[in-house]
Amino acid sequence: MNSSLTSWKTELEGLAVKRSKIEDLLPLSPLQEGIFFHSHYDESAADSYIVQVVASLRGNLDSGSLHSAVKSLLARHSSLRLRFRYRKSGKPIQMVMRDVELPWREVDLRGHAATGREMELDRLIADDRRQRFDLSQAPLLRCTLVRVADEDYRFVWSSHHILLDGWSNALLFRELFTIYGQLGDESTLQFVPPYRDYLAWIAGQDSEAAVTAWKEALANLDGPTRLASAESGGTDVLPERVSNRLSRELTDSLVGAARDSGVTLNTLIQFSWATLLARMTGRTDIVFGATVAGRPPEIPGIETMVGLFINTIPIRVRLDGATSVRDTLVQLQDEQARLMQHHHLGLAHLQRMTGLDELFDTVVAFENYPVESASSTALGGTVDVDDVSVRDSTHYPLSLIVVPGERLELRLDFRVDSFDRAAVEVFAARLVRVLETVVADPRALVGDIDVLDPAERHQLLVGWNGTARVVSEAVLPQLFEEQAATTPDAVAV
């Protein structure tokens, strides 16, 4: 056992929980610490870190078997039995509980009129997502099974993001429906290493080398990149979303342009987002956040582990208007490759390193976890999965979520206390314009990229500068005499 993790065992003494109920005691990963802080920052506001998966199931579903399958997952994965609290030192700690009771609810809507069922279903799902978790109580997971018709169900799986990343949700759904399909038999499921193995790996990393690398990457940064006009305040409203699904032609062109430039599609999207931020803020040294997978291949079985492995890191892009798009893309990817082995360092640490309270207020994430395909594969012919939707968000004022596929989907999640929908729709259109420019000619200069469409440019240069007016050709004495004749009894001076 790693010595740094062994030392946590001493914290069991004095805890207001019987030791027999605690299976393990662990530190938090860097992103867990950040989420824990933000979830406690304003407990009266909506918690943007609640993740909700809604699966539409068709067929002769056995609700009891599904309930038992979820309970089997809780017993199988210690990372689903976590509670969080502060230590005496003020540092947070996560406790793995031996036994937890699964919050399970079943709702039957067949008694509602057909026209009102969907409305009631939408209300149930929305109310569930607004319901906060108490991070000091395990499990941070709840399930609701809604029966809409005789063979029509919605399975609502809600969890706190501090437990799981998107890939873990896909793994869990595969296991869940495998257990269900095999009538509770778990014998075919492979052994999954515990989340503590990942925490031990983090504890064993060379933090000095990571700090040195990040200091170099963020050297001489003159300030944060903020797109929101003011700091977001607490609001009891969850973020809203503007979605834009690109055409298949543009998607293919983006993939081809990235390949021809020798970079990933992720790098191309990051460059395009940086360019948009540069035009919107007037800066050329841009910083925004990016979500990285955080599953180091040197950990045995990392691809099957369940927990929160992702991390948010700063992406710095220095834009030179006289440099070509292709050269900037290559430079950006090379810089990120040098930092890849240091992605485990926490964002709060990096901010302190720069002396800034904040580095950015926008983040970019690739959402590539196949929950639906995992569920369908596991269920086989027993029950059909018609659709799976995943709804999550962050505390940042604006988040760009990129969903790969035959038609790339760009989602902009925004806080309504920072942006209105019309402004975000403009951002979305301008981002597409940057992407179209990049694929049109990667050899073009960065400074020649225009985020405005012709109508916007005309409005800025002509419409809002239309100050011309008809001026009389009369000289001043004539104007004075005309005014005196019009109002002869008025005071002149």
Side-chain angles (χ1 to χ4, degrees), residues 170-426:
L171 294 173
L172 287 170
F173 265 69
R174 183 185 299 277
E175 289 190 1
L176 172 64
F177 289 115
T178 297
I179 296 171
Y180 172 87
Q182 296 179 170
L183 304 178
D185 182 8
E186 302 178 37
S187 60
T188 61
L189 299 179
Q190 66 185 61
F191 168 75
V192 176
Y195 185 59
R196 72 171 355 265
D197 288 1
Y198 169 69
L199 297 175
W201 177 86
I202 290 178
Q205 295 309 294
D206 186 346
S207 59
E208 187 175 335
V211 168
T212 299
W214 279 108
K215 277 185 176 179
E216 180 181 343
L218 299 174
N220 302 317
L221 185 63
D222 62 357
T225 301
R226 295 191 184 97
L227 190 58
S229 58
E231 184 178 353
S232 299
T235 176
D236 197 30
V237 180
L238 289 167
E240 296 186 6
R241 172 172 293 175
V242 169
S243 293
N244 191 348
R245 193 179 294 273
L246 305 184
S247 67
R248 183 171 297 183
E249 292 75 19
L250 180 53
T251 300
D252 291 342
S253 297
L254 289 169
V255 173
R259 182 182 59 247
D260 293 344
S261 297
V263 300
T264 64
L265 180 61
N266 190 12
T267 298
L268 192 150
I269 295 293
Q270 289 181 350
F271 163 79
S272 301
W273 185 249
T275 301
L276 177 61
L277 292 179
R279 298 296 190 271
M280 299 295 293
T281 63
R283 297 173 59 91
T284 57
D285 192 354
I286 299 297
V287 185
F288 57 89
T291 301
V292 293
R295 290 179 181 257
E298 55 267 36
I299 301 179
I302 188 67
E303 70 282 353
T304 64
M305 284 187 188
V306 171
L308 185 69
F309 298 90
I310 60 174
N311 195 18
T312 300
I313 62 168
I315 302 293
R316 185 181 188 182
V317 186
R318 281 160 285 199
L319 297 169
D320 181 352
T323 304
S324 71
V325 169
R326 177 170 292 168
D327 289 346
T328 307
L329 287 170
V330 172
Q331 180 183 353
L332 174 59
Q333 180 150 302
D334 288 346
E335 290 174 352
Q336 292 308 307
R338 287 194 292 270
L339 291 169
M340 191 169 295
Q341 61 181 314
H342 307 301
H343 281 177
H344 61 277
L345 213 60
L347 182 59
H349 191 164
L350 299 178
Q351 288 179 177
R352 289 193 299 269
M353 185 189 304
T354 62
L356 300 171
D357 295 331
E358 182 186 33
L359 291 175
F360 49 80
D361 66 358
T362 69
V363 292
V364 176
F366 263 70
E367 193 174 275
N368 188 20
Y369 35 87
V371 176
E372 183 172 4
S373 61
S375 305
S376 302
T377 301
L379 271 170
T382 307
V383 177
D384 293 328
V385 180
D386 270 6
D387 179 64
V388 175
S389 63
V390 181
R391 195 63 190 257
D392 56 6
S393 56
T394 73
H395 71 277
Y396 293 99
L398 187 65
S399 303
L400 169 64
I401 298 95
V402 183
V403 184
E406 290 186 352
R407 296 176 59 193
L408 200 68
E409 184 177 2
L410 305 178
R411 300 173 182 168
L412 285 172
D413 287 356
F414 63 97
R415 293 182 62 99
V416 295
D417 55 348
S418 298
F419 301 101
D420 59 40
R421 178 170 292 273
V424 177
E425 289 174 346
V426 170

Side-chain angles (χ1 to χ4, degrees), residues 481-492:
E481 290 172 356
E482 290 175 3
Q483 184 64 27
T486 303
T487 55
D489 297 326
V491 177

Side-chain angles (χ1 to χ4, degrees), residues 103-177:
W104 176 275
R105 182 169 66 133
E106 294 188 25
V107 179
D108 194 338
L109 298 182
R110 289 178 296 174
H112 288 67
T115 55
R117 288 179 192 172
E118 287 300 322
M119 184 180 300
E120 180 63 15
L121 177 63
D122 291 343
R123 186 193 66 78
L124 284 170
I125 292 174
D127 286 349
D128 176 82
R129 188 157 184 255
R130 282 192 294 266
Q131 183 182 342
R132 293 179 64 97
F133 284 102
D134 180 353
L135 298 188
S136 68
Q137 301 297 319
L140 301 176
L141 166 70
R142 58 175 176 262
C143 297
T144 302
L145 181 62
V146 183
R147 191 168 190 175
V148 182
D150 286 345
E151 295 190 350
D152 183 7
Y153 298 83
R154 299 295 183 276
F155 177 55
V156 184
W157 165 289
S158 296
S159 62
H160 201 281
H161 197 16
I162 200 169
L163 295 185
L164 305 166
D165 56 23
W167 189 259
S168 294
N169 266 323
L171 294 173
L172 287 170
F173 265 69
R174 183 185 299 277
E175 289 190 1
L176 172 64
F177 289 115

Side-chain angles (χ1 to χ4, degrees), residues 75-93:
R76 175 174 163 81
H77 296 285
S78 60
S79 51
L80 295 180
R81 292 180 270 113
L82 296 176
R83 56 179 291 190
F84 297 78
R85 57 169 293 173
Y86 281 106
R87 301 162 61 193
K88 293 179 179 178
S89 63
K91 290 282 289 182
I93 191 172

